[in-house]
C-alpha cells in the first residue's frame, strides 16, 4: 500500500527517542500531514479515548512507537507494569487501526524478543525457539504479542501491518534518568557527573541535577546530599561504578538511523515482502533493524570515558546482573529490503554527548 505526501500519518510516541526521530524523518521527506498526541492529551491505555481519537482523526497510516520501556532494574522490579501496559497500548492502537481501515501500520518492538541463548547473530527465525531472558521476559512477551498481532491481521484480513525489531537504541531525546535509563545514556551521564565532581565544577553538577533531579535531589540541596545520592548510583569524584562484569556483548543503533530504517519500511515495504513466496507456514515476518556489529559493555564504557575525558577509575559491580550474554542481530533481511545503517558507535557517542551538553536540555 503506497502512501502519498498527503497521507495522514499518526505517530504514537512522537515525543520519545525513536518517535521524535521518525517524525523529523517524515517531515524531511515531505510528509507533513502528521498527527501526534502527548500522554496528557491521549492516554493509550484508555480504550475509549483511543477509539475516540481514531474516530476523529481517521489516519491513513500509523507508526506505533509508543511503549512502556526501561533498563534491567526497571524490567526486573516492575514486571506487571511492563507486560500490562505494553499489551494494552498495542491492543488499543492496533485494534482501532483495524476498525478504522488504516492502510498501513508499522509496529516497533525490540530484539529482546529473542531467546536468551539464541544462536548469534539472531535471525528472525530464532523467535520462540527457547526460553527468554528472565529479567525482561514480561516486556519481551508483550512485544512478541504485538508482532504476532500484526502478522495475524495481515494473514487473516490482508492488512498491511509490518513489525520492525530494533537493537539497543540511543540518540537525541534519550532518557538519562539514572533510575530508569538504558545502558549507554546512563553511562554518559554517570561519567559526565563524575568528571564534573573530579574537576570541582559544582555549577555543572547543579545544572545537571536541575535538568534531571535524582530521587528528588536538585541544585537546591547541599553538597553532602548531592554527593550521597550520586554515590548511591556509583558516581564519585574519583570513580564510576557500573553494573555487572562488563563482559556482555551488545549492538547499538543511532536513533536517527532507526528512524530512517522505519520510514524506509513504512514507505517501501509491504507485508508480502517480509516472507518468501510460496511459504506454507507464514511466520516470523518481522524485520530486525541494527548494524550487525557488536562490542562489549566494558569496551563501550571505555569509549565513553575517553570521549568525556574522565580521569578517574572505571569500576564494575559483579553482584549486579549482566543480562543476556550476547545480542547481535542478523540484518540480512533488512539489507535485502534496501536499507543499511550510517552512524557507527564512535561517532554516535560523540554526537550523543554533544547533545547532552547542550544548554537547553529537555527535562525527563
Amino acid at each position: 500500500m503506497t502512501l502519498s505526501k498527503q497521507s495522514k500519518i499518526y505517530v504514537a510516541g512522537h515525543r520519545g527517542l525513536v518517535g521524535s526521530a521518525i517524525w523529523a524523518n517524515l517531515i524531511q521527506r515531505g510528509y507533513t500531514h502528521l498527527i501526534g498526541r502527548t500522554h496528557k492529551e491521549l492516554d493509550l491505555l484508555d480504550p475509549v479515548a483511543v477509539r475516540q481519537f481514531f474516530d476523529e482523526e481517521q489516519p491513513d497510516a500509523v507508526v506505533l512507537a509508543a511503549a512502556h520501556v526501561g533498563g534491567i532494574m526497571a524490567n526486573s522490579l516492575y514486571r506487571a507494569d511492563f507486560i500490562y501496559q505494553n499489551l494494552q497500548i498495542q491492543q488499543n492502537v492496533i485494534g482501532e487501526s483495524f476498525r478504522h481501515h488504516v492502510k498501513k501500520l508499522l509496529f516497533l518492538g525490540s530484539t529482546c524478543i529473542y531467546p536468551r541463548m539464541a544462536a548469534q547473530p539472531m535471525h528472525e527465525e530464532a523467535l520462540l525457539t527457547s526460553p527468554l531472558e528472565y529479567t525482561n521476559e514480561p516486556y519481551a512477551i508483550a512485544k512478541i504479542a504485538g508482532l504476532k498481532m500484526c502478522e495475524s491481521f495481515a494473514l487473516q484480513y490482508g492488512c498491511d501491518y509490518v513489525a520492525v525489531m530494533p537493537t539497543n537504541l540511543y540518540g537525541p531525546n534519550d532518557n538519562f534518568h539514572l533510575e530508569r535509563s538504558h545502558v549507554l545514556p546512563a553511562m554518559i551521564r554517570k561519567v559526565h557527573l563524575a568528571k564534573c565532581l573530579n574537576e570541582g565544577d559544582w555549577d555543572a553538577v547543579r545544572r545537571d541535577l536541575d535538568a534531571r533531579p535524582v530521587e528528588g535531589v536538585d541544585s537546591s540541596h547541599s553538597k553532602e546530599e548531592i554527593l550521597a545520592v550520586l554515590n548511591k548510583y556509583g558516581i564519585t569524584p574519583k570513580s564510576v561504578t557500573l553494573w555487572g562484569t562488563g563482559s556482555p556483548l551488545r549492538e547499538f543503533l543511532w536513533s536517527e538511523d532507526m528512524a530512517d530504517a522505519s520510514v524506509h519500511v513504512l514507505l517501501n515495504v509491504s507485508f508480502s515482502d517480509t516472507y518468501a513466496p510460496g511459504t506454507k507456514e507464514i511466520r516470523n515476518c518481522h524485520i530486525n533493524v541494527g548494524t550487525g556489529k557488536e562490542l562489549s559493555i566494558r569496551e563501550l564504557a571505555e569509549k565513553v570515558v575517553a570521549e568525556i575525558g574522565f580521569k578517574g577509575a572505571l569500576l564494575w559491580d559483579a553482584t549486579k546482573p549482566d543480562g543476556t550474554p550476547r545480542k547481535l542481530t542478523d540484518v540480512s533481511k533488512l539489507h535485502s529490503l534496501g536499507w543499511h545503517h550510517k552512524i557507527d558507535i564512535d561517532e554516535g557517542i560523540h554526537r550523543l554527548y554533544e547533545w547532552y551538553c547542550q544548554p537547553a536540555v529537555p527535562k525527563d
Side-chain angles (χ1 to χ4, degrees), residues 345-360:
I345 191 67
D346 292 284
E347 182 181 351
I349 291 171
H350 175 70
R351 286 191 184 196
L352 186 57
Y353 187 54
E354 274 195 338
W355 183 88
Y356 184 76
C357 290
Q358 290 172 1

Side-chain angles (χ1 to χ4, degrees), residues 129-150:
T129 55
S130 62
L132 297 163
E133 161 63 29
Y134 178 76
T135 54
N136 60 22
E137 185 180 70
Y139 178 75
I141 288 173
K143 288 300 178 181
I144 292 169
L147 75 87
K148 288 298 180 185
M149 279 185 76
C150 292

Side-chain angles (χ1 to χ4, degrees), residues 178-179 189 193 209 212-218 229-230 233:
L178 292 182
E179 297 155 83
R189 188 178 185 195
L193 283 167
L209 291 175
R212 301 175 180 85
V214 179
E215 295 187 8
V217 174
D218 57 21
V229 77
L230 294 183
Y233 289 91

Side-chain angles (χ1 to χ4, degrees), residues 167-363:
T167 188
N168 299 290
L169 300 173
Y170 68 105
N173 297 313
D174 217 328
N175 175 10
F176 291 85
H177 195 294
L178 292 182
E179 297 155 83
R180 298 191 301 268
S181 60
H182 285 114
V183 60
L184 183 46
M187 267 185 198
I188 284 178
R189 188 178 185 195
K190 285 182 176 184
V191 175
H192 170 75
L193 283 167
K195 180 194 179 190
C196 294
L197 291 175
N198 182 268
E199 296 175 353
D201 189 350
W202 277 93
D203 287 342
V205 172
R206 292 183 186 282
R207 282 196 304 273
D208 186 280
L209 291 175
D210 275 343
R212 301 175 180 85
V214 179
E215 295 187 8
V217 174
D218 57 21
S219 68
S220 67
H221 290 71
S222 68
K223 286 186 178 181
E224 290 73 22
E225 289 170 317
I226 290 171
L227 287 170
V229 77
L230 294 183
N231 183 63
K232 183 177 173 181
Y233 289 91
I235 304 163
T236 76
K238 294 184 178 180
S239 65
V240 172
T241 302
L242 301 176
W243 275 31
T245 63
S247 62
L249 296 168
R250 289 292 182 271
E251 173 185 15
F252 294 90
L253 180 67
W254 183 244
S255 60
E256 292 170 333
D257 268 355
M258 175 57 195
D260 194 62
S262 298
V263 175
H264 174 82
V265 171
L266 179 71
L267 301 179
N268 301 295
V269 178
S270 294
F271 179 78
S272 58
D273 299 321
T274 63
Y275 59 92
T279 303
K280 289 184 178 179
E281 290 188 355
I282 298 172
R283 56 160 64 99
N284 302 328
C285 299
H286 57 285
I287 304 165
N288 289 339
V289 183
T291 64
K293 301 178 181 181
E294 64 186 346
L295 76 167
S296 73
I297 295 296
R298 184 180 294 273
E299 290 172 312
L300 178 71
E302 289 167 354
K303 287 179 182 291
V304 169
V305 167
E307 172 65 34
I308 294 174
F310 175 53
K311 304 302 182 186
L314 185 60
L315 307 176
W316 298 89
D317 182 357
T319 66
K320 296 294 194 298
D322 269 333
T324 305
R326 192 180 177 204
K327 271 177 58 176
L328 179 64
T329 57
D330 182 322
V331 288
S332 54
K333 182 191 277 193
L334 180 66
H335 289 174
S336 73
L337 293 168
W339 190 88
H340 292 71
H341 80 281
K342 300 176 183 68
I343 306 297
D344 280 318
I345 191 67
D346 292 284
E347 182 181 351
I349 291 171
H350 175 70
R351 286 191 184 196
L352 186 57
Y353 187 54
E354 274 195 338
W355 183 88
Y356 184 76
C357 290
Q358 290 172 1
V361 178
K363 291 183 180 181

Side-chain angles (χ1 to χ4, degrees), residues 4 16 32 34 39 84 129 151 155 202 320 328 358:
S4 73
T32 56
L34 307 182
H39 177 68
Y84 167 73
T129 55
E151 209 171 83
L155 292 173
W202 277 93
K320 296 294 194 298
L328 179 64
Q358 290 172 1

Side-chain angles (χ1 to χ4, degrees), residues 97-113:
S97 295
F98 172 69
R99 290 188 192 96
H100 290 81
H101 309 292
V102 163
K103 295 176 185 175
K104 195 144 194 186
L105 182 142
L106 183 74
F107 172 70
L108 277 67
S110 165
T111 51
C112 73
I113 62 168

